[in-house]
Each structure stands twice: as structure tokens, then as C-alpha cells.
């Protein structure tokens, strides 16, 4: 199908600010951003094809890319809602009639899945900057009822760098109620020696409880008051969300719960079982809001007149091994990786990459699990990032 609102370059709507403010995002031409127009046009064409074919990579996608304060390319393709369900016998989606489908738009909110971890990490580093949270403090000092973490001396830094040794996930959704789910989390001991890298959702769940105990505020309020509201990211929030891109016809045995077709309800089963607000998943956002977050971090923690972190603490997050962020991962960063690019992916098909060296950013959001989850494939993400990397015009040539 044709894309809705694709462009490389585009309208010039605002931006900038006074001498005490950092530049805000604005739309502009690739040339103004210091990017090659032909290569960006190729990036747009690639994104438009992601929802095509018999087994497309995704039902629909939205992409924003730019350099400095300029959004130089954006594209949207496919459908926010394409399927009524999944037919396990035929191993294919049950397509809605064309009139009942919902087209993807630039403003469609997505279930961010693990991109939520970035917001939890920023909220933690904000407390570290204020001196209220010690980066090498023991988790047990803040939440002693998490007895296994306390007994093994897990630290805040280990949670932020996925070196706590906790296993990747824990089936909290199988416990009968919230108290039983929290009891499982509190008793969970590391499966490998602390200090060893092992990516785990449990790190951000523990960090959520540390932050909530420390501040006396729920995580959704901390993210709203400390990140999204000051940055004007008004479309970013925890669910439920109306108008969101659909995710999965979630049923056993491929899913971990029988919930049916999901739209606007968090896809992650543990986040759902914990009430929808979790440190590792649960946020919804459109692409532009995530571009604002990228721009803020590339600006050293400031956007317009708002400051959410100081430059030194942004550097701490974005310097290997990274705090919350993954650094130089060619599997989804393509040729942007190699000199300090930072980013993350989400299980539902979401991703973002920002590269401080070239001052570029790429947001690619897709509903790859609609109508059901498949083995992860980051090839289109890496290809898009490589397109952007090759489009960078050396500063001396501008």
C-alpha cells in the first residue's frame, strides 16, 4: 500500500530558542542537516517496503531520522491494525476487511516494550545526579525486603549495566496475585555471578522498586514529572492507550497468557501482571516523542529551556558499557556502531539509535508482533542505521 506522509526533508515549523535554550527539533532538508538527500531517499524507500509481501517484517512502521536539530527524513507505511487475529492452523493472520483496517500514521503511539528501560534508567541517573541515590550502593540498602538481592550484594550500577547476574525473566504472570508476584521477585537470586553481563528485565523491575522507595513516588509519576512533561513529550505515557498500533493475538502456546488481540494494552506479560506500570515495559509513545528524547541526550540533557540531566551524567549513560543504553551494537545499529552510538530495541518491534559522534538519530517503530510473535530479526533496523550512517556528510564538506 502507499505510505502516508513520507518525505525526505519537509516543512520548516519552528525550532531554536533563546541564548539559554538548546535547539528544538524542526523539519528541514537533508542538505540543511548535513545529510545526503539521495541516501536518505533510499532509507525512506526501504521503510516503505517493510510492510509489503506475503510475510512482511511488520504490519506497519514509522521512521524519523535526522542530524542536529533537523528531522531530515520521515516515513510511514502499512497498518496500525491489519489483523483480527491469528490462525494457528494456517500459520497466518486473519486479515480484516480493508475498510476495517487502521492505517499507520506519523502520530501512532507504539507499545515501546523494552525502550521503557531507557526511561527507568534516566529516572535513576537523575537521582544519582541529585546525590540521593548511590550508583554503587547496595540495592538491599533501599529495599531490604528484596532478600536475595540484598544477600548477594547487588548494586545499583549492576542493575543499570545488566551485570547483576539475574536471569533474563521470571514468570511472574503465573503467580495467582500481585502479592505472590512480588514475593517471587523479592526472593529471586542471581543465576550467574554478579558482575557478569546477562541482559535481564528483572534489573529494571528491581530498579523501579528502589526508585519508588527512595522518592515515595510511583514510577509513572517519576517519568512524567522528570522526563516527559518537561520535554513536552505529551503523547508518551503508560497504558492503556487509545489509537495505539496493535500488537499480538496473545494466546498460548506462543504467548505466556491468553489475552487475545492486544491494542493499547501492554504486550509484555509481566508488565501486564504487575498492573501495566513496570520498569522494563509498559510505556507507549509516537516516533516524534522519541526523537525529542534522542535530541535531548545529544544536546547533553537539555531541550529548549528544559534540562533533565547534566552533560556529565548524559556522558555516563552513553559511555561504554552504558547505563540502561546498549553501546555500539551492529546487530541493530549497522554502520552507526563502532564509535559510541547508543540505543535500544523493544520486543514489539521498536528501536532507537543516537550517535554523538555524528550528532545523528534514528527512530524506527514497527509492530512486528502483529498478529503474532516471530523469531527476532533486526536486519531492517541495521540496514536503516547503515543508510543513515552513509548519508552523513563530513562537516568539512558543508
Amino acid at each position: 500500500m502507499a505510505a502516508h506522509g513520507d518525505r525526505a526533508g519537509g516543512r520548516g515549523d519552528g525550532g531554536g530558542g533563546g541564548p539559554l535554550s538548546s535547539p528544538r527539533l524542526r523539519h528541514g532538508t537533508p542538505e540543511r542537516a548535513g545529510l545526503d538527500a539521495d541516501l536518505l531517499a533510499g532509507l525512506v524507500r526501504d521503510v516503505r517496503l517493510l510492510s509489503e509481501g506475503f510475510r512482511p517484517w511488520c504490519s506497519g512502521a514509522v521512521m524519523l531520522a535526522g542530524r542536529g536539530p533537523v528531522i531530515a527524513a520521515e516515513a510511514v507505511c502499512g497498518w496500525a491494525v491489519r489483523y483480527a487475529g491469528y490462525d494457528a492452523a494456517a500459520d497466518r493472520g486473519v486479515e480484516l476487511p480493508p475498510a476495517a483496517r487502521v492505517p499507520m500514521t506519523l502520530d501512532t503511539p507504539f507499545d515501546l516494550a523494552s525502550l521503557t528501560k531507557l526511561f527507568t534508567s534516566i529516572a535513576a541517573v537523575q537521582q544519582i545526579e541529585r546525590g540521593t541515590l548511590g550508583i554503587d550502593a547496595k540495592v538491599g540498602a533501599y529495599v531490604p525486603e528484596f532478600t536475595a538481592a540484598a544477600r548477594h550484594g547487588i548494586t545499583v550500577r549492576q542493575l543499570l549495566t545488566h551485570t547483576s547476574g539475574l536471569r533474563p525473566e521470571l514468570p511472574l504472570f503465573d503467580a495467582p496475585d500481585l502479592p505472590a508476584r512480588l514475593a517471587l521477585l523479592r526472593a529471586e537470586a542471581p543465576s550467574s555471578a554478579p558482575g557478569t553481563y546477562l541482559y535481564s528485565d528483572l534489573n529494571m523491575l528491581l530498579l523501579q522498586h528502589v526508585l519508588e522507595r527512595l522518592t515515595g513516588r510511583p514510577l509513572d509519576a517519576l517519568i512524567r514529572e522528570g522526563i516527559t512533561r518537561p520535554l513536552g513529550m505529551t503523547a508518551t505515557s503508560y497504558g492503556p492507550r487509545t489509537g495505539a498500533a496493535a500488537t499480538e493475538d496473545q494466546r498460548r502456546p506462543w504467548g505466556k497468557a491468553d489475552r487475545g488481540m492486544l491494542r493499547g494494552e501492554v504486550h509484555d506479560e509481566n508488565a501486564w501482571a504487575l498492573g501495566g506500570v513496570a520498569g522494563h515495559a509498559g510505556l507507549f509513545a509516537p516516533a516524534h516523542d522519541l526523537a525529542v528524547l534522542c535530541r535531548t541526550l545529544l544536546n547533553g540533557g537539555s531541550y529548549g529551556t528544559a534540562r533533565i540531566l547534566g552533560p556529565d551524567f548524559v556522558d555516563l549513560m552513553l559511555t561504554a558499557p552504558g547505563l540502561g543504553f546498549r553501546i555500539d551494537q551492529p546487530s541493530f545499529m549497522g554502520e552507526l556502531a563502532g564509535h559510541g552510538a547508543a540505543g535500544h530495541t523493544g520486543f514489539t518491534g521498536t528501536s532507537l539509535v543516537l550517535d554523538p559522534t555524528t550528532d545523528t538519530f534514528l527512530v524506527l517503530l514497527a509492530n512486528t508482533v502483529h498478529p503474532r510473535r516471530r523469531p527476532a530479526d533486526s536486519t531492517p533496523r541495521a540496514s536503516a542505521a547503515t543508510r543513515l550512517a552513509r548519508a552523513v556528510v563530513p562537516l568539512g564538506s558543508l
Side-chain angles (χ1 to χ4, degrees):
M1 82 174 259
H4 306 276
D6 295 340
R7 62 179 69 86
R11 57 190 185 273
D13 46 21
L20 298 180
S21 66
S22 299
R24 295 177 180 270
L25 285 174
R26 63 182 185 272
H27 288 81
T29 64
E31 293 82 3
R32 182 174 290 276
L35 295 167
D36 183 276
D38 290 338
L39 290 172
L40 280 194
L43 170 57
V44 169
R45 288 193 300 270
D46 287 351
V47 171
R48 291 181 61 179
L49 294 174
L50 293 179
S51 62
E52 301 294 328
F54 177 69
R55 287 197 184 275
W57 184 68
C58 60
S59 172
V62 179
M63 181 277 296
L64 293 181
R67 189 181 189 189
V70 179
I71 297 174
E74 56 187 27
V76 56
C77 70
W79 306 96
V81 184
R82 178 175 178 175
Y83 302 98
Y86 169 72
D87 184 337
D91 188 25
R92 60 186 301 177
V94 179
E95 290 197 299
L96 290 163
R101 300 176 194 174
V102 180
M104 195 71 77
T105 73
L106 288 170
D107 298 324
T108 299
F110 285 76
D111 180 336
L112 296 185
S114 284
L115 294 192
T116 302
K117 293 181 173 76
L118 302 181
F119 291 80
T120 305
S121 300
I122 291 170
V125 175
Q126 287 176 330
Q127 297 300 321
I128 293 168
E129 181 178 21
R130 293 167 188 163
T132 55
L133 179 65
I135 191 169
D136 290 310
K138 303 291 179 65
V139 168
Y142 300 96
V143 284
E145 69 273 23
F146 283 73
T147 53
R151 185 168 64 253
H152 289 270
I154 292 174
T155 67
V156 171
R157 186 190 297 272
Q158 288 171 343
L159 298 182
L160 285 163
T161 56
H162 294 285
T163 55
S164 68
L166 291 167
R167 58 173 155 160
E169 60 180 353
L170 182 65
L172 303 176
F173 47 84
D174 279 340
D177 53 30
L178 184 58
R181 293 160 191 159
L182 293 178
L184 286 174
L185 187 59
R186 290 166 179 159
E188 180 67 14
S191 63
S192 59
T196 304
Y197 180 83
L198 181 62
Y199 180 84
S200 173
D201 289 348
L202 305 187
N203 290 316
M204 293 299 151
L205 284 172
L206 262 66
L207 191 58
Q208 172 185 359
H209 284 276
V210 168
L211 290 172
E212 291 181 341
R213 179 65 55 82
L214 177 69
T215 64
R217 304 284 287 159
L219 181 62
D220 56 341
L222 292 175
I223 290 173
R224 181 176 62 252
E225 295 163 6
I227 304 173
T228 62
R229 181 182 293 165
L231 295 180
M233 297 169 59
T234 57
T236 300
S237 69
Y238 281 93
R241 285 295 299 273
T242 59
T247 53
E248 186 177 31
D249 182 5
Q250 192 173 93
R251 289 182 278 142
R252 298 179 192 270
W254 57 87
K256 302 165 190 173
D258 288 306
R259 301 169 62 200
M261 182 59 73
L262 301 176
R263 187 187 185 200
E265 298 285 342
V266 61
H267 175 271
D268 183 89
E269 293 93 341
N270 274 344
W272 164 71
L274 294 170
V277 175
H280 71 293
L283 279 173
F284 289 76
H288 187 272
D289 273 17
L290 294 181
V292 168
L293 183 66
C294 291
R295 187 69 247 144
T296 300
L297 295 171
L298 289 169
N299 279 337
S302 296
Y303 186 76
T305 57
R307 185 184 78 87
I308 63 166
L309 279 175
D312 290 346
F313 290 88
V314 172
D315 287 346
L316 185 64
M317 295 196 76
L318 303 186
T319 301
L323 300 183
F325 284 83
R326 301 182 68 192
I327 310 298
D328 282 338
Q329 298 289 317
S331 61
F332 73 94
M333 298 179 184
E335 292 180 12
L336 280 178
H339 42 73
H344 215 286
T345 62
F347 185 82
T348 52
T350 57
S351 63
L352 64 81
V353 184
L354 54 99
D355 179 19
T357 301
T358 58
D359 201 23
T360 54
F361 60 90
L362 172 68
V363 176
L364 179 57
L365 305 180
N367 52 350
T368 59
V369 297
H370 183 55
R372 71 154 285 186
R373 65 189 72 186
R374 300 282 182 185
D377 176 15
S378 280
T379 303
R381 295 167 174 153
S383 297
T386 293
R387 284 276 199 185
L388 179 58
R390 293 178 180 178
V392 173
V393 178
L395 291 176
S397 304
L398 297 177

